[in-house]
Amino acid sequence: MTKDEIDKENEKRKSKYTAVYDQITGISDVIPREKIDIAEFGTLHIPADMLKICWVKKLYKYKSIKLFVENEKTINKLNIDEEEKISFVYIEFLRTRLKYDFEFFAASCVKIKHKVTGLDVPFLLNYPQRILLKELERQRLAGLPIRIILLKARQWGGSTLTQIYMAWIQLFRKTGWNSVIAAHLKDASANIKGMYSKLLENLPVWCADEKPVFKPFQRMTSTSIISSVNCKVTIGSAETPNSVRSSDLTMAHLSEVAFWKDTKEKKATDLIRSITSSILPIEESVIVQESTANGVGDYFHTEYRNAKSGNSDKTALFIPWYDIEIYRLPLKENSLEFYNSFNDYEKYLWTSGATLEAIKWYRAKRKEYQQDSDMQSEYPTDDIEAFTFSGERVFDRNQVDNLRKGCKAPAFVGEIISKSGKKTGKESLENVGTIKNNAAGKLKIWLHPENNKKISNRYITIVDVGGRSNKADYSVILVIDRYWMMYGGVPEVAAEWRGHCDHDILVWKAAQISKYYDNALLVIESNTLETEETDGDHTEYILSQLSGAYSNLYARTPADKIKEGVPIKWGFHTNRATKTMIIDNMIHLLRESPYVERSYEACNEYDTYEKKENGSFGAIDGHHDDILMTRLIGMYVAYELPLPREQKEKTTTKKTQGIISEATI
C-alpha cells in the first residue's frame, strides 16, 4: 500500500469511533430514527416508533408544544392554566421518549461511577456498548425474545449496559417483569444489583409519578420488589444455587458464566439451564449470558460456539480489544514507515481492522508480556484468541479453527454389539453389525461403512487406552475413512467411541468396531497395557489372544524379524521419540488441511494441548488429550499406509495381506 492508501484506510477506520454521537438529541445509528423539530426542544432524532403515537404525530405537525396546547381540544379541557398545560405536555413527551429511547434514558436519567475520576457521571455509551445495544434493540424491535451470549474482552462495560438495559425494560416498558441477576460469586451479583440501586436513587423526579425504590419481598434477603411497576429483582450466584429458584422470571443476567463452579447442591450447568428454561421465549424477555473466557470445552465455550455457528437460540457477540477507545496511542511517525515495520502478527491486526494508533498501543503493551500468547489472552483480537490459554500451545489456533468447520453432530449415537452378545473372545466378533441406537451410548457415527464397495486399506481404527474408573482418563476408539485418498482427497473421521471399561473389553470392542468397518486395520496404542495389569493378564496375552481372532492387527515388530522368530510386539508404542514424531507430523499436516474432523471435542483438545516447561507435551491442567492422541497416531498411519485401492475382481482364493507393521509403512 502507498502512504496515501494507508492514511485513507486508517481515517476510514477511525471515523466509526469519531462519528458524532449524541444521546440527548438522538444522533445515533443504533435504531431507526426520525428527525423532528419542536420549538421547545430544538431538532431531535427520535425513535421511529414514537411517531406512530397519535399525539406525538400531531405535535410533530405543530412543531411547537405551545401551538399543540392551543389547538388540541383534549388538552384544552384540562382544568389547569396554559403554562401548566405546556409543562404537562413537555413532561409527557419526555416520559414517552424514555419508553422508546434507551439511549436518551441512559444519558438523562442514569448515573454511573467514572472509572478514572470516581465521580458520578451520565451514562454515555462507548463504542463497544453501542454495538451490544444495537443487537439488543435489533431483537427487541423485531419482536423476538432477546437472547445474547457475550464474550467479553477486558472491561468495556458490557455487564453494566446489560443490567441497565434490563432495568429500562422493567421501569418503563413492562409491569410484572421479574428478573434475576446471577454471577459466579455472591459479591459479583451484589455489585451488579448495586448499579441498579444507584440508578433508582438518581432517577430525576420527572421520570415517574411515583419514585421507584427497592423494598424487601416477603422477608427474602435475595429478592427485592419495585412496587410501582410490580417487578421483582432476585440476586444469586453459583455458590448459592437455591437463592435463584423462581418460576415467574422473564429476564436473566448471568455474569461470568465460564467461572461458575459446581456445588454439592447443583452443577453449574444445571443451574444455568434451570434459570434459562423457566423464561418463556416471548417478546422483550431477556437472557444475556456474559463472561470472559476460561479455556475451551466448558459450558460457556460450547454455548458460544453453538451460537456462532447458528445452532442456538442465542446470538454470539464479541468485541475485539482494538474497538475499545483507551487502547490507542497517537501516531507521530510516518504512517508508511510504521506500516512497513509491522511483524506478522501486526499485519494480522491490520487485516483484522485495527487502526494504526491501536497497533502502536499494542506494540508498546506487548513489551510487558513474556509470550505472544500471554498478550493475546489478555487482549484478544478475535474470539479464538479469547478462548486460548496462555501457555505455549502446540497447534496453530487458526488451523484448528479450520478443522472446526467440518465438525457436526453425529448421524448415530449408540453401541455396537455382536449377535452372540459376547463382549470378549472370538464369539464377540461373529455377525457384528447389529447396532443398538441409544442416546446414552458412547459410540458416535458420522459415516457408516460401505461394505458393498470392496476397497483395500480403506478404514483404520485407532485405540488410545485410558483408565477403568470414571475419574481416570478416557479410552478412545477412532475410525478413519481413507476413501477419498484414492482420488487425491483427505481422510475423514467416520466414528468414535469414548468411555471407561476394562482393558480386555476395550480391545475386543475396538475389534468389533473394526470388524463392522470392513475389517479395518486395528492400531492399539499399547503403553497403558504394557505398564499395567488387566485383571491379572499382561498385554502380550490380551493382544495375542485378539490376534488369533482378528487378523488385521497392527504390529510394531518388523515383518522380517517376525520371520526370524522374534516375538511379535502388537500395537503402537508412544514414547518420547514417537510422540514428538507424530506431533511434528500433525503440525506439518495442519498447514495443508490434512483431514476432515467431525468432533468438536477433538478441536477443543487441540486448543488445550501445550508444551510443558520441561519440554514434554500434554493437556493443560483440567483437560484431556485422549481424543487428540487418536488423531495424532491415526493421521500418521493414514498417510504412511499404501493408498486405498478398489478390488474390482472377485477371486476364489483369498490372498492374505500379512501383518501390517511399522516396517510395512
Side-chain angles (χ1 to χ4, degrees):
M1 295 178 72
T2 66
K3 184 178 185 304
D4 287 343
E5 289 172 334
I6 294 168
D7 291 339
K8 184 177 180 180
E9 175 61 27
N10 196 52
E11 289 302 317
K12 179 182 176 183
R13 295 180 182 188
K14 288 163 60 177
S15 65
K16 68 180 182 181
Y17 308 123
T18 58
V20 177
Y21 177 69
D22 191 324
Q23 293 169 225
I24 299 297
T25 61
I27 300 176
S28 168
D29 64 351
V30 171
I31 61 172
R33 291 179 177 271
E34 295 287 347
K35 181 181 177 181
I36 65 171
D37 289 294
I38 306 294
E40 290 79 4
F41 293 110
T43 301
L44 298 176
H45 302 261
I46 64 172
D49 280 355
M50 269 187 72
L51 278 179
K52 296 177 183 178
I53 301 171
C54 183
W55 76 267
V56 175
K57 192 181 295 183
K58 290 180 179 179
L59 178 61
Y60 171 54
K61 174 184 173 184
Y62 290 114
K63 299 184 183 301
S64 164
I65 295 177
K66 188 174 185 300
L67 291 176
F68 176 81
V69 167
E70 290 174 353
N71 290 279
E72 286 300 311
K73 294 180 181 179
T74 305
I75 299 297
N76 283 325
K77 291 180 181 178
L78 295 176
N79 191 25
I80 52 178
D81 62 36
E82 185 175 344
E83 287 299 318
E84 289 176 313
K85 291 176 183 176
I86 291 174
S87 177
F88 172 80
V89 175
Y90 188 96
I91 296 298
E92 194 62 28
F93 180 84
L94 293 178
R95 289 183 178 180
T96 302
R97 191 175 171 192
L98 287 180
K99 182 178 179 180
Y100 287 87
D101 195 340
F102 172 83
E103 292 166 281
F104 172 68
F105 158 72
S108 61
C109 300
V110 181
K111 299 288 186 182
I112 61 170
K113 183 171 288 188
H114 194 280
K115 289 185 177 180
V116 177
T117 65
L119 300 175
D120 288 343
V121 295
F123 184 30
L124 303 180
L125 278 63
N126 57 38
Y127 182 77
Q129 287 171 331
R130 300 202 295 270
I131 295 175
L132 173 56
L133 178 62
K134 197 166 191 174
E135 180 56 34
L136 290 165
E137 287 288 78
R138 181 193 69 80
Q139 295 184 32
R140 182 184 70 83
L141 292 173
L144 300 171
I146 299 168
R147 303 290 185 267
I148 290 177
I149 185 161
L150 174 64
L151 172 58
K152 299 191 297 186
R154 305 298 294 172
Q155 291 188 349
W156 50 263
S159 181
T160 299
L161 175 64
T162 298
Q163 191 52 53
I164 292 176
Y165 185 83
M166 287 171 52
W168 172 64
I169 291 177
Q170 286 182 312
L171 295 174
F172 297 104
R173 294 196 55 81
K174 296 290 184 179
T175 56
W177 224 240
N178 302 325
S179 68
V180 64
I181 304 165
H184 58 316
L185 302 173
K186 289 183 287 186
D187 288 347
S189 301
N191 287 338
I192 295 173
K193 188 186 177 185
M195 288 190 292
Y196 202 157
S197 298
K198 187 181 186 68
L199 184 157
L200 296 180
E201 291 169 6
N202 288 280
L203 277 179
V205 293
W206 55 264
C207 288
D209 292 333
E210 180 184 346
K211 185 176 178 62
V213 293
F214 277 139
K215 295 179 180 179
F217 178 71
Q218 296 181 352
R219 298 182 181 179
M220 296 172 63
T221 57
S222 62
T223 301
S224 301
I225 187 169
I226 304 175
S227 301
S228 59
V229 287
N230 190 32
C231 73
K232 296 189 288 288
V233 178
T234 299
I235 64 168
S237 71
E239 296 176 309
T240 55
N242 289 331
S243 64
V244 292
R245 288 179 178 174
S246 180
S247 59
D248 58 350
L249 294 173
T250 46
M251 298 195 294
H253 177 190
L254 310 182
S255 184
E256 294 298 351
V257 172
F259 296 88
W260 286 29
K261 295 181 179 180
D262 296 341
T263 67
K264 292 181 180 179
E265 297 174 330
K266 206 163 196 175
K267 288 185 177 180
T269 52
D270 293 338
L271 175 59
I272 293 168
R273 291 191 177 102
S274 69
I275 295 171
T276 57
S277 63
S278 69
I279 299 176
L280 295 176
I282 56 178
E283 291 184 21
E284 298 193 41
S285 64
V286 178
I287 300 175
V288 175
Q289 298 185 36
E290 46 92 349
S291 183
T292 47
N294 187 29
V296 301
D298 59 10
Y299 169 86
F300 182 71
H301 175 250
T302 302
E303 287 295 302
Y304 180 87
R305 184 195 67 205
N306 289 341
K308 186 180 177 183
S309 62
N311 298 318
S312 169
D313 63 334
K314 294 176 278 293
T315 296
L317 193 62
F318 169 78
I319 308 295
W321 65 267
Y322 58 77
D323 275 341
I324 304 171
E325 58 186 343
I326 60 174
Y327 302 140
R328 292 165 205 157
L329 286 176
L331 187 70
K332 297 178 181 178
E333 55 266 64
N334 180 282
S335 58
L336 179 59
E337 291 177 1
F338 183 64
Y339 177 85
N340 288 334
S341 71
F342 285 173
N343 59 32
D344 287 343
Y345 189 77
E346 289 168 346
K347 290 176 183 176
Y348 170 68
L349 293 178
W350 177 258
T351 303
S352 299
T355 63
L356 296 177
E357 289 78 7
I359 296 172
K360 184 174 181 181
W361 176 89
Y362 194 92
R363 179 181 290 185
K365 190 69 175 178
R366 170 64 185 84
K367 295 175 183 178
E368 300 176 14
Y369 294 85
Q370 292 184 352
Q371 301 182 105
D372 287 336
S373 57
D374 294 337
M375 177 72 177
Q376 292 164 13
S377 179
E378 288 295 310
Y379 301 96
T381 299
D382 54 36
D383 50 9
I384 301 171
E385 284 184 359
F387 285 109
T388 301
F389 60 96
S390 59
E392 185 179 348
R393 64 177 295 145
V394 175
F395 302 105
D396 184 272
R397 62 179 186 82
N398 292 315
Q399 293 165 2
V400 174
D401 208 47
N402 282 333
L403 280 184
R404 278 195 176 90
K405 294 176 182 177
C407 296
K408 61 181 181 180
F412 164 87
V413 176
E415 290 291 349
I416 188 167
I417 59 174
S418 71
K419 189 175 181 180
S420 70
K422 299 287 186 180
K423 292 184 178 181
T424 62
K426 194 171 183 178
E427 291 182 6
S428 69
L429 302 183
E430 294 176 359
N431 297 312
V432 171
T434 300
I435 297 178
K436 185 179 180 182
N437 197 347
N438 177 5
K442 299 182 177 100
L443 177 64
K444 298 177 182 178
I445 292 179
W446 289 272
L447 289 172
H448 285 281
E450 295 181 291
N451 293 317
N452 59 321
K453 293 183 179 181
K454 293 300 177 183
I455 299 171
S456 62
N457 293 326
R458 175 171 181 175
Y459 297 106
I460 306 172
T461 302
I462 314 296
V463 183
D464 182 71
V465 182
R468 302 178 186 85
S469 71
N470 290 333
K471 294 182 180 180
D473 289 336
Y474 287 91
S475 292
V476 179
I477 303 169
L478 168 70
V479 180
I480 297 170
D481 185 357
R482 302 172 71 237
Y483 177 82
W484 292 108
M485 294 180 76
M486 293 192 297
Y487 307 104
V490 298
E492 181 175 353
V493 168
E496 179 183 274
W497 183 95
R498 186 177 189 235
H500 298 97
C501 66
D502 289 340
H503 294 160
D504 57 335
I505 293 176
L506 176 70
V507 296
W508 285 101
K509 183 180 288 290
Q512 288 179 321
I513 293 172
S514 300
K515 189 84 173 177
Y516 181 69
Y517 277 90
D518 200 21
N519 294 306
L521 173 64
L522 177 52
V523 184
I524 299 177
E525 198 271 337
S526 59
N527 293 45
T528 304
L529 295 177
E530 291 173 2
T531 56
E532 296 180 0
E533 290 188 359
T534 304
D535 297 332
D537 297 325
H538 291 286
T539 179
E540 289 86 353
Y541 175 74
I542 297 173
L543 297 184
S544 293
Q545 187 184 44
L546 178 64
S547 67
Y550 191 82
S551 60
N552 200 12
L553 191 60
Y554 178 90
R556 63 179 182 275
T557 308
D560 57 340
K561 296 295 183 183
I562 295 173
K563 291 179 181 178
E564 294 174 6
V566 175
I568 300 174
K569 287 287 186 180
W570 300 109
F572 186 96
H573 185 79
T574 305
N575 51 45
R576 192 177 184 91
T578 58
K579 193 170 187 178
T580 301
M581 175 187 70
I582 59 179
I583 289 171
D584 288 345
N585 176 68
M586 184 60 81
I587 291 172
H588 170 74
L589 290 177
L590 280 175
R591 301 189 196 112
E592 307 296 332
S593 299
Y595 75 101
V596 178
E597 182 57 72
R598 294 304 186 195
S599 168
Y600 288 110
E601 288 77 13
C603 295
N604 293 341
E605 291 194 5
Y606 276 104
D607 274 335
T608 55
Y609 200 68
E610 67 177 353
K611 186 175 183 180
K612 311 288 185 180
E613 290 184 3
N614 63 4
S616 64
F617 296 93
I620 64 174
D621 292 344
H623 293 266
H624 296 277
D625 61 7
D626 40 73
I627 297 176
L628 174 61
M629 288 307 300
T630 61
R631 272 62 176 178
L632 298 181
I633 297 171
M635 290 308 142
Y636 171 76
V637 175
Y639 276 94
E640 293 297 327
L641 276 178
L643 288 174
R645 187 175 61 186
E646 191 170 351
Q647 298 174 337
K648 295 183 180 179
E649 295 182 6
K650 187 176 181 180
T651 58
T652 53
T653 305
K654 186 175 180 181
K655 203 168 185 179
T656 57
Q657 184 179 7
I659 297 172
I660 298 293
S661 69
E662 289 183 7
T664 308
I665 63 174

